[in-house]
Amino acid sequence: MENQNVYLKPVTLRNIFKFAVPTIAMTVFMSFYTMVDGLFVSNLIGTNALSAINLTAPIIQIVTAISTMLATGGSAVIMKKMGEKKSDEAKEDFTFLILVNVLVGIFMCVLGYRLMDQIFAGMNLSADVAGYCTAYLSRYLLFTVPILLMNNFTLYMIASEKAALSLLCSVAGGVLNMILDYVFIAILNMGIEGAAIATGMGYSVTAVVGLFVFARKKSLLCFKKPVIRLRVLLSAATNGCSEMATALVTGIITMMFNWTMLHYVGEDGVAAVTIIMYVLMFASSLYTGYSYGVAPMISFYHGEKNHDKLKKLVAVSIKVIAVISVLTVALSFFLTRPLVGVFARPDNPVYELAVTGNRICTIALFFIGFNIFASGMFTALSNGIVSAVLAFARSFVFMLITMIVLPLILGVNGIWLATPAAELMALALSITMFSRHRKRYGY
């Protein structure tokens, strides 16, 4: 098939980047316009509203966790079938998994509304911050289904060799989000509710375009009468469980960060954490984008048992991740004050907190890329168990240990050191798993 020619080409840095650069640009841009959201909110509404966005983040991450699982796990299963020349079956499974996502989105939206008030009531927040939390989340949940479809269509466009279109959708959605942020907040005075609606509408662009793209029969992947194969759903869930675990425990760890900061510093600490998370998310998006870009290639070569191409792809990827790691650490460290200054003025107590925290947390960027790639690689190899172990240990077990121990010893600085320490521990585990399974997969 013509659409599959790229998988048949030699594994060179140039051909890898044809896959990876659009997805890197896409994830970077998506993280960028998430930062712009925070920029509008912090400057036009205030740092209390910025704190509220971070306090609602764990709930949003939980809402999207199942979709992330089905998207990443499903992409691995479907592209493996493509490599095995079972294209019709792959299209049936693709359509089935998309329908499952729609049902999950409706369920999670209803559940979110039912539990929202109880969650915020138990945080002992000020009335101002609690009001911002409720207003933001109540509008965001309206877009649950489009956001879940966006998560899926983004990955499936990449797998279908439409990474450039996926990037275009992300850029269009981001630009729309930024414009609507200004219109809703600065002009129409809709406050934090306007920020949530702008975000939801921006994310919806990929969902709408994806419906049209995958309705076309000429696409490598397209909608076809679905066949309910529970083993496919189970396989997608198993393969993608590491990504779901990451989303779930990221939400839990974010809550821990917030509660710890509320205990040591107060709501200013939550705002500082939010700023640092934006910076880390922006840098980490480079690794995530690269891993998403090469995942379909890993799955395809695994499906056709082409160990030579797989080995070369993994070797080149490790070198690329190493280069990106050094660059992101240098940039994040030397640009700390300008980056923080975008969100908080120097006379704001949040400013110095965030500057100190970002310089310490920047150390984590030496390790994050390798951990993200290792987990994504095992997902693409349809080994969801190893991927889940890596993701769960990195995002929850190690973070839980460092978040409990280090603040008791070092206070606020211990909170900032928790992320680098956890990522270093996760790197040791990633290297162990990588070495243990090398002969099995031939990379």
Side-chain angles (χ1 to χ4, degrees):
M1 292 173 59
E2 186 178 356
N3 282 328
Q4 292 180 338
N5 283 344
V6 69
Y7 293 103
L8 305 178
K9 292 180 180 179
V11 177
T12 62
L13 188 61
R14 181 179 179 181
N15 288 334
I16 291 172
F17 277 177
K18 284 181 180 179
F19 256 91
V21 168
T23 60
I24 291 172
M26 177 191 65
T27 53
V28 166
F29 193 83
M30 288 178 69
S31 67
F32 175 71
Y33 76 71
T34 300
M35 290 175 67
V36 170
D37 248 6
L39 174 64
F40 276 106
V41 169
S42 61
N43 285 281
L44 296 179
I45 305 175
T47 52
N48 277 350
L50 185 64
S51 299
I53 290 180
N54 194 26
L55 290 165
T56 59
I59 303 168
I60 292 170
Q61 287 160 343
I62 291 170
V63 167
T64 58
I66 296 177
S67 174
T68 302
M69 172 189 71
L70 294 175
T72 54
S75 177
V77 171
I78 289 168
M79 290 314 298
K80 184 172 182 290
K81 286 191 175 183
M82 284 291 191
E84 296 168 343
K85 314 301 181 187
K86 300 177 181 177
S87 60
D88 287 340
E89 190 173 325
K91 293 172 184 176
E92 293 166 353
D93 294 341
F94 161 68
T95 309
F96 168 57
L97 291 176
I98 292 298
L99 290 175
V100 170
N101 272 274
V102 172
L103 296 175
V104 167
I106 294 170
F107 173 77
M108 296 303 288
C109 177
V110 173
L111 185 63
Y113 272 104
R114 289 184 63 87
L115 298 179
M116 183 166 47
D117 291 336
Q118 295 95 306
I119 293 170
F120 295 132
M123 289 187 180
N124 295 320
L125 302 172
S126 65
D128 189 30
V129 173
Y132 283 136
C133 288
T134 302
Y136 186 83
L137 188 60
S138 64
R139 297 300 178 268
Y140 190 97
L141 286 173
L142 294 174
F143 297 91
T144 303
V145 172
I147 289 171
L148 299 195
L149 289 177
M150 180 273 296
N151 287 340
N152 280 263
F153 288 156
T154 294
L155 292 187
Y156 285 120
M157 283 183 190
I158 295 168
S160 300
E161 293 188 31
K162 291 181 173 62
L165 177 60
S166 183
L167 170 61
L168 181 62
C169 289
S170 297
V171 171
V175 171
L176 179 64
N177 184 16
M178 294 175 200
I179 294 172
L180 292 180
D181 267 332
Y182 181 77
V183 172
F184 291 160
I185 300 174
I187 298 178
L188 299 181
N189 294 316
M190 294 175 64
I192 200 168
E193 295 180 356
I197 295 171
T199 299
M201 293 182 71
Y203 283 152
S204 299
V205 170
T206 302
V208 173
V209 172
L211 290 173
F212 286 100
V213 167
F214 293 114
R216 297 176 68 246
K217 302 301 180 185
K218 292 182 179 179
S219 178
L220 179 63
L221 282 177
C222 63
F223 294 130
K224 191 171 183 175
K225 185 177 180 180
V227 175
I228 300 175
R229 297 186 181 94
L230 294 182
R231 69 179 184 279
V232 170
L233 180 58
L234 179 62
S235 182
T238 302
N239 287 331
C241 64
S242 63
E243 281 70 21
M244 183 185 73
T246 299
L248 287 174
V249 300
T250 298
I252 295 169
I253 293 299
T254 301
M255 284 192 287
M256 286 186 61
F257 261 111
N258 292 338
W259 290 336
T260 307
M261 270 299 178
L262 286 170
H263 174 72
Y264 280 90
V265 184
E267 291 172 352
D268 284 343
V270 176
V273 167
T274 309
I275 294 171
I276 292 168
M277 284 185 172
Y278 282 145
V279 176
L280 284 178
M281 176 184 62
F282 184 76
S284 297
S285 65
L286 293 167
Y287 314 124
T288 303
Y290 182 85
S291 297
Y292 280 167
V294 299
M297 298 174 73
I298 293 173
S299 298
F300 192 91
Y301 298 148
H302 174 53
E304 69 173 5
K305 302 188 186 303
N306 194 327
H307 299 301
D308 289 337
K309 283 189 173 182
L310 184 59
K311 183 182 295 185
K312 188 170 183 181
L313 176 59
V314 171
V316 172
S317 295
I318 290 174
K319 294 176 184 177
V320 170
I321 293 292
V323 172
I324 296 175
S325 297
V326 174
L327 291 175
T328 53
V329 168
L331 289 172
S332 179
F333 185 83
F334 288 110
L335 297 178
T336 289
R337 287 192 177 274
L339 287 170
V340 173
V342 170
F343 297 93
R345 294 182 177 87
D347 59 347
N348 191 317
V350 171
Y351 180 83
E352 286 301 330
L353 272 172
V355 167
T356 302
N358 188 69
R359 283 181 172 164
I360 296 173
C361 283
T362 290
I363 300 169
L365 294 175
F366 278 121
F367 320 121
I368 290 175
F370 297 103
N371 294 327
I372 289 174
F373 177 74
S375 180
M377 182 187 75
F378 282 109
T379 296
L381 291 170
S382 295
N383 193 332
I385 301 300
V386 171
S387 183
V389 168
L390 291 176
F392 186 73
R394 170 189 172 233
S395 302
F396 185 70
V397 177
F398 298 147
M399 279 299 303
L400 184 64
I401 293 170
T402 55
M403 276 293 297
I404 291 174
V405 175
L406 293 181
L408 292 175
I409 300 172
L410 301 172
V412 175
N413 284 340
I415 301 174
W416 305 132
L417 275 171
T419 299
E423 292 291 347
L424 179 59
M425 295 163 70
L427 178 63
L429 181 61
S430 295
I431 293 172
T432 301
M433 291 296 185
F434 188 91
S435 300
R436 181 176 296 176
H437 293 276
R438 172 170 280 172
K439 288 185 178 179
R440 175 181 175 184
Y441 293 109
Y443 53 72

